[in-house]
Amino acid sequence: MSNAQRSIPPVGFGLWKVPNELCADTVYEAIKAGYRHLDSACDYGNEQQTGEGIARALADGLCQREDLWVTSKLWNTYHAKEHVRPALMRTLQDLQLDYLDLYLIHFPIAQAYVPFEKRYPPAWFFEPEAAEPRIEFAPVPLHETWKAMEELVVEGLVKKIGICNYTTGLLHDLMAYSSIKPSVLQIESHPYLTQENLIRMAKLYGMEVTAFSPLGALSYLELNMAGAQDSVLEQPAVKQAAVRLGKTPAQVVLRWGIQRGTSIIPKTSKPERLKENLALFDFALDDAEMQAISALNCHRRFNDPAQFCEAAFNTFYPIYD
């Protein structure tokens, strides 16, 4: 099967919030444990270390490059057509790769451009040292960014392109103007945010769907964006299934994500969790368990620019209604 025909592996390793000093070793250990899907991004600030881990794994013969599915994401400050290719080339340089399997628009948000030599990765603030730092936006339409993304596919620098954090309205618009259709939609999804309409629509358009933060609140506790009381792992429906199956509550929730047809990208730096998060294919939830976990949906979004942009970056900028 050619790379362009491959489907995204169902379980990936998420690089968001993996500390730089641990990242190279963690990536190496993830590949050693059997992960073949790595989910990275410019904004995570650890692509150079991720590249070191990949390079070491390939040098040691843990796998071949074509065995890996490596995803990265275009940051908000690089949406203008003249900045898309340079942003990708910087990511490829850091990852020590010749191509990406998938390149995603990280957010449907265009920010003012920040040159590499000024700050990389540029993050959210335009001038972090200003007396009252804020996010500054750029008048770049999404169709301009997408056309530049399409050129990367034509050039052979990326195999597939897609989007993150889009709504159904943005999907409809994208499908109307795109020449190369998006292959993957990546969104926050977990039992508290099932996003069934969005996932169904993406699949009708022929896209695969990746769920980030598949365990919900666990990704946000250290950022003070969630509390322990928000954990889906304590829900009776999850715990009962875990007891029946002899699995951990986390494995039950991850299995729910796979069984509903999404790929998932859990993150951990703990070796025992690396293996646990992959051990999802020797059991299945029954229909009643799937329905009970899906019924936990309360539209609880943890990663919402309307909240974190205002709280952390002094700028109100919702993208979800």
Side-chain angles (χ1 to χ4, degrees):
M1 182 183 295
S2 72
N3 196 297
Q5 296 173 313
R6 291 172 66 199
S7 292
I8 194 165
V11 182
F13 183 74
L15 276 299
W16 182 43
K17 298 192 286 81
V18 176
N20 285 20
E21 64 273 16
L22 301 177
C23 188
D25 288 342
T26 302
V27 168
Y28 182 91
E29 291 301 324
I31 294 172
K32 187 176 181 180
Y35 287 86
R36 296 295 179 264
H37 171 190
L38 302 173
D39 185 82
S40 183
C42 157
D43 187 54
Y44 300 165
N46 56 14
E47 288 201 316
Q48 191 171 346
Q49 292 78 15
T50 297
E52 292 169 8
I54 293 173
R56 195 176 351 137
L58 295 178
D60 286 355
L62 299 186
C63 66
Q64 302 298 312
R65 168 64 184 98
E66 55 268 25
D67 298 327
L68 292 176
W69 178 293
V70 182
T71 297
S72 188
K73 307 176 189 76
L74 177 77
W75 185 239
N76 306 341
T77 52
Y78 307 128
H79 274 215
K81 59 185 177 182
E82 66 270 22
H83 299 144
V84 172
R85 190 181 187 279
L88 170 69
M89 298 308 292
R90 174 60 185 261
T91 276
L92 289 176
Q93 174 186 313
D94 286 349
L95 293 174
Q96 302 184 42
L97 299 175
D98 297 324
Y99 68 90
L100 288 179
D101 299 273
L102 177 65
Y103 200 37
L104 303 172
I105 295 176
H106 203 150
F107 281 96
I109 298 172
Q111 292 178 228
Y113 175 64
V114 177
F116 296 153
E117 58 272 18
K118 180 175 181 179
R119 193 171 68 252
Y120 189 89
W124 289 90
F125 282 135
F126 183 65
E127 293 286 359
E129 306 305 319
E132 296 182 4
R134 291 177 53 84
I135 301 171
E136 290 195 19
F137 302 102
V140 182
L142 286 168
H143 68 78
E144 175 181 322
T145 308
W146 188 257
K147 290 301 179 184
M149 297 278 283
E150 291 179 336
E151 292 175 8
L152 304 176
V153 179
V154 173
E155 199 174 343
L157 294 169
V158 302
K159 302 297 183 183
K160 298 186 179 190
I161 49 178
I163 63 273
C164 297
N165 303 303
Y166 269 44
T167 61
T168 49
L170 289 178
L171 287 189
H172 298 320
D173 195 45
L174 173 56
M175 296 303 290
Y177 62 70
S178 55
S179 298
I180 298 175
K181 303 302 180 185
S183 295
V184 175
L185 168 68
Q186 185 176 126
I187 53 171
E188 178 183 350
S189 191
H190 41 75
Y192 286 163
L193 185 70
T194 56
Q195 303 233 60
E196 288 163 7
N197 286 346
L198 180 54
I199 290 172
R200 181 180 175 186
M201 195 68 249
K203 291 191 172 188
L204 286 172
Y205 276 136
M207 286 175 245
E208 297 182 274
V209 178
T210 297
F212 71 78
S213 303
L215 294 172
L218 289 188
S219 296
Y220 301 93
L221 293 175
E222 65 199 74
L223 301 175
N224 295 318
M225 293 167 66
Q229 72 279 1
D230 296 313
S231 176
V232 71
L233 303 185
E234 298 301 318
Q235 287 286 351
V238 172
K239 296 175 96 170
Q240 289 165 13
V243 170
R244 181 184 77 82
L245 293 161
K247 299 294 180 179
T248 68
Q251 286 176 308
V252 166
V253 173
L254 295 177
R255 176 68 198 185
W256 171 86
I258 290 172
Q259 224 168 292
R260 69 196 294 253
T262 64
S263 58
I264 56 173
I265 44 174
K267 164 259 173 183
T268 184
S269 300
K270 299 176 180 178
E272 65 276 13
R273 292 275 192 272
L274 282 173
K275 295 180 180 179
E276 179 184 311
N277 290 348
L278 272 182
L280 306 175
F281 300 96
D282 60 348
F283 70 100
L285 301 170
D286 62 31
D287 289 345
E289 289 165 338
M290 287 293 295
Q291 291 168 13
I293 295 172
S294 295
L296 298 173
N297 180 45
C298 56
H299 308 287
R300 175 70 164 94
R301 188 185 299 278
F302 294 100
N303 195 318
D304 188 348
Q307 296 175 2
F308 71 74
C309 284
E310 186 167 31
F313 306 116
N314 307 318
T315 311
F316 179 59
Y317 199 80
I319 62 173
Y320 311 113
D321 296 325

